[in-house]
Amino acid sequence: MYRIKTLNKISSVGLSRLDRDRFQVGSEVENEDGILVRSALMHDYVFSESLRAIARAGAGTNNIPIDRCSENGIVVFNTPGANANAVKELVIAAMLIASRDILGGADWVQEQAHTPKVDVAAAVEKGKSAFAGPELYRKTLGVIGLGAIGALVCNTALDLGMDVYGYDPFLSVDAALRLDRHVHVVKDVDELYKVSDYVTLHIPYSGTTKDFINADAIAKMKGQVRILNLARGGLVNEDDLIAALESGRVAKYVTDFPDDKITTVKNVIALPHLGASTPESEQNCAVMAAEELRDYLENGNIQNSVNLPDVYLDRSGAQRLCVLHKNIPAMLASITALLSRDGVNVENLSNKSKGDYAYTLVDLGTPVEPTVLEDLKRLPNVIRVRVIG
């Protein structure tokens, strides 16, 4: 029986993927083998010795102490693409409300309706011009980050009749194949800044992407540009953005990450972190997270990990050996030499690395002796060893 602790409310559709004959699931579970989490902060979380994996029902993992997890041999999963459609739709809405003052207009109509002796229909005809704004059609959209969300945004914007530029220094083959051929993919983000009427961010937050949009970047953009940030708050330097809003260089800023500094600034539209707030998105994320967790605990397979390499093997043999270790030379040779010394036949094997860490899956022809496992655990730079029958 595997024990799965939930740190947030997780969609029942996702939880249903964990067979209750094999998984004990709930917020009160102790000595957990796995954790399902959404937004709960885990940086001070005390890991149980049994904890093997954490699955985040969402794309961002800023709430999880990734380095500490890696050091303890805990795999961290996320769910890339599961909420992509929800975010894409909000991006389209954000472009519209940044262009045409829909929110301001709706609020103004309500004010007229609640003002005594005001003829609403007459007031609307007289005052509607104050809320006019440009169309999206034939405008240029710059998309920074061409992953699952960015690609959907690009393709949908083309359908709206926009000219679309995309930038991603780490563009994968799979991501490139998702893009419509009419998207202008540039290698220098400055090319995108120079032509875009709208700039939308779809990159992860890290030390290298912090303040990605700053005074220098804004200076390279067209005047009256509209900037959308539905990715992460720290991607935009708020002091620089406020200065650009005050000068008029930036016409509007739409953010899904309001705070005390930015929310009340004129021409800022602050949303309450609605990017993935759809029932469909929550279900998709929960299903993917639960399935990632289940496959790792039951089969040792890793897919969509943020701290360890993806390794997948169809099961074969009598037993599967899972070894998390440092990514240093001769580790695989050390593991196989030890198995060979004890006469254990290797039927299948996969070894991959990611940064400082590596993962080896070995399918064995016969069950391994406990002494072999202890020898494996004592190998220098081995972090964690697990056997699946």
Side-chain angles (χ1 to χ4, degrees), residues 91-104 129-137 139-141 160 162 197-199 224-228 251-254 267 269:
V91 170
I92 303 305
M95 283 197 291
L96 289 168
I97 62 178
S99 298
R100 306 172 68 176
D101 192 4
I102 297 168
L103 299 182
S129 62
F131 307 100
E135 299 179 9
L136 303 183
Y137 183 61
K139 301 301 189 301
T140 300
L141 172 65
L160 293 173
M162 302 185 79
D197 301 295
Y198 304 80
V199 173
Q224 289 291 289
V225 66
R226 290 164 166 84
I227 299 175
L228 318 177
K252 293 281 185 179
Y253 175 55
V254 184
N267 290 322
I269 301 171

Side-chain angles (χ1 to χ4, degrees), residues 72-282:
N72 285 273
I74 298 169
V75 185
V76 180
F77 298 98
N78 68 345
T79 57
N83 62 6
N85 189 71
V87 179
K88 174 209 75 177
E89 290 185 0
L90 192 62
V91 170
I92 303 305
M95 283 197 291
L96 289 168
I97 62 178
S99 298
R100 306 172 68 176
D101 192 4
I102 297 168
L103 299 182
D107 288 343
W108 179 79
V109 169
Q110 287 297 316
E111 290 175 9
Q112 306 313 301
H114 288 85
T115 301
K117 299 182 180 180
V118 169
D119 182 333
V120 173
V124 163
E125 288 306 311
K126 184 178 180 180
K128 65 182 182 182
S129 62
F131 307 100
E135 299 179 9
L136 303 183
Y137 183 61
R138 291 187 175 176
K139 301 301 189 301
T140 300
L141 172 65
V143 181
I144 299 175
L146 300 174
I149 296 170
L152 283 178
V153 169
C154 287
N155 296 344
T156 302
L158 287 172
D159 291 339
L160 293 173
M162 302 185 79
D163 196 18
V164 181
Y165 281 70
Y167 168 78
D168 193 328
F170 306 107
L171 182 63
S172 68
V173 173
D174 288 343
L177 291 173
R178 288 195 293 263
L179 287 172
D180 187 287
R181 64 185 178 86
H182 294 98
V183 176
H184 308 287
V185 179
V186 297
K187 294 182 178 180
D188 186 345
V189 71
D190 290 353
E191 294 183 50
L192 179 151
Y193 291 149
K194 184 169 57 177
V195 298
S196 297
D197 301 295
Y198 304 80
V199 173
T200 182
L201 292 163
H202 300 289
I203 53 179
Y205 177 81
S206 68
T208 56
T209 60
K210 181 180 184 295
D211 294 338
F212 193 92
I213 299 297
N214 53 31
D216 288 341
I218 293 169
K220 297 170 184 174
M221 297 180 190
K222 294 174 67 174
Q224 289 291 289
V225 66
R226 290 164 166 84
I227 299 175
L228 318 177
N229 180 14
L230 308 181
R232 284 291 178 270
L235 296 173
V236 175
N237 183 298
E238 292 186 342
D239 291 329
D240 292 351
L241 183 75
I242 291 169
L245 285 164
E246 290 174 346
S247 71
R249 184 160 191 84
V250 173
K252 293 281 185 179
Y253 175 55
V254 184
T255 178
D256 210 16
F257 308 95
D259 59 28
D260 292 337
K261 177 183 287 188
I262 199 71
T263 303
T264 58
V265 175
K266 185 178 179 181
N267 290 322
V268 169
I269 301 171
L271 306 175
H273 204 172
L274 294 177
S277 295
T278 68
E280 295 88 350
S281 173
E282 291 181 7

Side-chain angles (χ1 to χ4, degrees), residues 44 92 314 319:
D44 296 324
I92 303 305
D314 289 325
Q319 206 171 57

Side-chain angles (χ1 to χ4, degrees), residues 295-360:
D295 197 19
Y296 178 65
L297 293 176
E298 291 186 337
N299 301 307
N301 292 322
I302 296 180
Q303 296 186 80
N304 297 320
S305 172
V306 299
N307 63 332
L308 288 161
D310 286 0
V311 180
Y312 181 90
L313 271 182
D314 289 325
R315 292 288 293 273
S316 63
Q319 206 171 57
R320 171 163 284 189
L321 187 64
C322 313
V323 186
L324 290 168
H325 53 89
K326 293 289 185 68
N327 180 25
I328 62 171
M331 279 302 302
L332 183 58
S334 298
I335 294 168
T336 55
L338 197 154
L339 294 172
S340 177
R341 184 201 72 189
D342 286 271
V344 179
N345 182 51
V346 173
E347 292 202 359
N348 203 358
L349 180 150
S350 183
N351 167 267
K352 291 185 180 179
S353 62
K354 186 173 187 175
D356 294 332
Y357 297 92
Y359 184 52
T360 301

